Amino acid sequence: MHARDLIGGLSHLVGEAGVIRDPADQSPYLRDWLGRYEGRTPVVVRPRTTTEVAAVMRLCHQTGTPVVPQGGNTGMSGGATPDGSGAQVVLSLSRMTRIREVDPVNNTLTVDAGVLLADVQRVAHEAQRHFPLSLGAEGQCTIGGNLATNAGGTSVLRYGNARELTLGLEVVLPDGRVWDGLRGLRKDNAGYDLKSLFIGSEGTLGVITGAVLKLSPLAPTRAVAWVGAHTPAHIVALLTHLQAAFGQSVTAFEMMSAACLTIEATQRDDAPALLRGTHAYYALIELADTQDDDLAGRLRQALAQATQAGTIIDARVAEDATSAAMMWRAREGISQAQVRGGKTIKHDIALPISRLAAFIDEADATVAARFPQVRLINFGHVGDGNLHYNALLPLDIPDDDFAQLATAMNRCVHDIVVQRGGTISAEHGVGQLRRDALRRYKSPVEMDLMLMIKRALDPNQLMNPGKVL
Ligand code: FAD
Ligand code: MLT
Ligand code: ZN
């Protein structure tokens, strides 16, 4: 079908307000958040309902048109960016923002896929419940994108990742049929777990249009602390110490190296003085509980014990909500600071927590010897064994040199991760960034299983081509 006829057909299905034809208006949809990938599209289509998504998918199926689903476009692996062919339609869920049902007895919330994560959290809170998925992009990313990437964030340690927070899904299949799996059940073994298959499939198997999300009780008492330590091994020892003392109340446990704060400090006037001295590594800890039995006081005591034992060097428990917010801002500002500070080589790896410290020792030494020109920016969700073992290079490094260096460093770091029993993709997804690496590290049997699933659900290879597999 000619592009003009396709656009006309799509506009007939979703209305003129639901299609973006003008290249200037399309541009925010064609570039990824990190600015690494840029593509072209004949049209960005923005349906408002599941019925409209189904009609769009049917037309694309009939005309052999490839489709790239997109939520908030905050992904870090280029998964939502079309290729340069100009043939792939971008299907944006951003106008599907309906809250379908709040059920405080079943502790569930049913929403359209295009609802922003921050709005999901807000609606849960208004119902005196907590939706625990939390990440730096929560004001821009959509719940559909979170599910498509099986997002992690800062409270996985306690509540699990997006998959564990989802009870039901609604999905439009590549041929336009709708699978209504919007069940709010905590036990449901009637057949294969299709919901788990679509979660984390990064738009390669179907379009998620709705979800039933699991809510938790509010845990209004919080205690937040900032800690300095000599090494990652000390930080991991502190995690073990706090989990023994506080159990499930340990909600977030994040680590960052000194370099992470340095890049922020050079770019921000308001970088808070979190501790008086400078330390090689820092941890940000958050405890949360349903009742206030002096959580902050008990945390202060536990950190004092850890200091006396030599596990950490110094600690500060936030005195109030403002200093807690400052601590979180210092942690969550790292991604943005990195983008402004230079060209970034990304890693999104996970290892068993017990092997993290040894991994960092080996990787730091290897990187220093092989890539002395890079500056390591190592931070992440230590409580989940997930590190963003990133690197920074000057903005003016030529693109070819950067690409070569990134490929070599990715390979070097990933080899060490895999040798130590880890994964090369923990929470950001494979997208196009890690597609080649996936093939390298997955066994032929695992690749074959994934390809069989892909062929069964999307025989014409129209769903997000060039991503994941
Ligand atoms: P998009 O970027 O639009 O899409 C991501 C992928 O999902 C693409 O493959 C796309 O095709 C697919 N997709 C999107 N919507 C649908 C749908 N409805 N149906 C089918 N497929 C779909 N991620 C974490 O996990 N943890 C973090 O801590 C974290 N921190 C971040 C901090 C910052 C500052 C930024 C910018 C990003 C961060 N991310 C993090 C990455 C990103 O926010 C997540 O991957 C998020 O889940 C993506 O949601 P999105 O709506 O922006 O999806
Ligand atoms: C984060 O945890 O802040 C993001 O997932 C990481 C990143 O920018 O690599
Ligand atoms: Zn992260």
Side-chain angles (χ1 to χ4, degrees), residues 153 331 348 379-381 386 388 427-428:
R331 159 62 183 91
D348 171 34
F379 65 105
H381 319 284
N386 174 197
H388 302 301
E427 59 167 11
H428 291 165

Side-chain angles (χ1 to χ4, degrees), residues 209-282:
T209 47
V212 183
L213 305 170
K214 193 160 74 178
L215 303 179
S216 295
L218 285 174
T221 307
R222 286 199 318 156
V224 176
W226 189 265
V227 162
H230 286 301
T231 67
H234 288 100
I235 299 275
V236 170
L238 179 66
L239 171 65
T240 309
H241 173 67
L242 293 182
Q243 283 182 314
F246 296 98
Q248 280 290 301
S249 300
V250 184
T251 303
F253 195 99
E254 303 282 309
M255 182 185 83
M256 50 247 111
S257 64
C260 302
L261 293 195
T262 316
I263 51 164
E264 283 195 90
T266 54
Q267 295 171 21
R268 283 183 11 190
D269 301 335
D270 61 348
L274 299 162
L275 286 173
R276 269 189 301 277
T278 303
H279 307 287
Y281 280 89
Y282 299 95

Side-chain angles (χ1 to χ4, degrees), residues 33 68-76 79-80 93 113 134-137 140-142 144-146 148-149 151-154 202-203 206-208 335 381 427-428 464:
W33 190 86
V68 180
Q70 189 177 99
N73 199 17
T74 67
M76 293 208 160
L93 281 294
S134 174
L135 45 102
Q140 298 100 50
C141 62
T142 61
N146 300 148
T149 54
T154 52
E202 300 183 48
V207 183
I208 297 171
S335 300
H381 319 284
E427 59 167 11
H428 291 165
N464 215 358

Side-chain angles (χ1 to χ4, degrees), residues 85-398:
S85 67
Q88 301 182 341
V89 164
V90 174
L91 171 55
S92 165
L93 281 294
S94 56
R95 289 207 304 170
M96 284 193 63
T97 55
R98 210 159 50 94
I99 305 294
R100 299 195 195 178
E101 189 190 10
V102 184
D103 183 344
V105 176
N106 196 39
N107 283 307
T108 47
L109 177 57
T110 306
V111 293
D112 276 0
V115 176
L116 295 180
L117 174 56
D119 288 335
V120 172
Q121 295 166 342
R122 180 182 48 75
V123 171
H125 203 264
E126 284 165 4
Q128 303 298 311
R129 300 291 184 277
H130 179 51
F131 184 66
L133 187 66
S134 174
L135 45 102
E138 60 201 23
Q140 298 100 50
C141 62
T142 61
I143 193 69
N146 300 148
L147 297 178
T149 54
N150 189 24
T154 52
S155 53
V156 173
L157 170 63
R158 176 167 181 173
Y159 295 101
N161 49 25
R163 184 176 279 119
E164 287 158 89
L165 301 173
T166 308
L167 296 179
L169 274 193
E170 178 185 80
V171 178
V172 177
L173 301 176
D175 60 9
R177 284 180 298 158
V178 179
W179 171 52
D180 180 354
L182 286 175
R183 296 184 278 267
L185 302 173
R186 282 166 180 81
K187 288 187 174 177
D188 181 9
N189 285 347
Y192 295 145
D193 184 359
L194 297 177
K195 155 178 70 71
S196 285
L197 182 60
F198 286 106
I199 296 173
S201 66
E202 300 183 48
T204 62
L205 300 179
V207 183
I208 297 171
T209 47
V212 183
L213 305 170
K214 193 160 74 178
L215 303 179
S216 295
L218 285 174
T221 307
R222 286 199 318 156
V224 176
W226 189 265
V227 162
H230 286 301
T231 67
H234 288 100
I235 299 275
V236 170
L238 179 66
L239 171 65
T240 309
H241 173 67
L242 293 182
Q243 283 182 314
F246 296 98
Q248 280 290 301
S249 300
V250 184
T251 303
F253 195 99
E254 303 282 309
M255 182 185 83
M256 50 247 111
S257 64
C260 302
L261 293 195
T262 316
I263 51 164
E264 283 195 90
T266 54
Q267 295 171 21
R268 283 183 11 190
D269 301 335
D270 61 348
L274 299 162
L275 286 173
R276 269 189 301 277
T278 303
H279 307 287
Y281 280 89
Y282 299 95
L284 170 61
I285 298 143
E286 179 161 319
L287 308 185
D289 223 325
T290 47
Q291 57 192 22
D292 186 356
D293 58 349
D294 191 22
L295 197 60
R298 291 195 292 126
L299 178 58
R300 203 168 283 114
Q301 214 173 12
L303 293 174
Q305 273 171 7
T307 311
Q308 259 168 16
T311 310
I312 57 176
I313 307 165
D314 200 0
R316 175 180 156 196
V317 176
E319 304 79 28
D320 50 29
T322 309
S323 55
M326 270 188 163
M327 289 176 183
W328 271 109
R329 212 167 62 210
R331 159 62 183 91
E332 297 208 316
I334 300 171
S335 300
Q336 189 69 258
Q338 239 200 297
V339 170
R340 286 196 301 253
K343 283 194 181 152
T344 293
I345 302 178
K346 287 267 175 196
H347 299 98
D348 171 34
I349 57 155
L351 290 120
I353 297 166
S354 49
R355 297 185 190 173
L356 269 185
F359 159 77
I360 294 171
D361 287 348
E362 182 182 352
D364 280 2
T366 311
V367 169
R370 287 193 50 194
F371 310 103
Q373 65 277 53
V374 310
R375 195 162 155 214
L376 281 173
I377 307 293
N378 179 10
F379 65 105
H381 319 284
V382 157
D384 318 322
N386 174 197
L387 288 180
H388 302 301
Y389 192 80
N390 294 344
L392 201 57
L393 284 141
L395 271 172
D396 58 4
I397 179 176

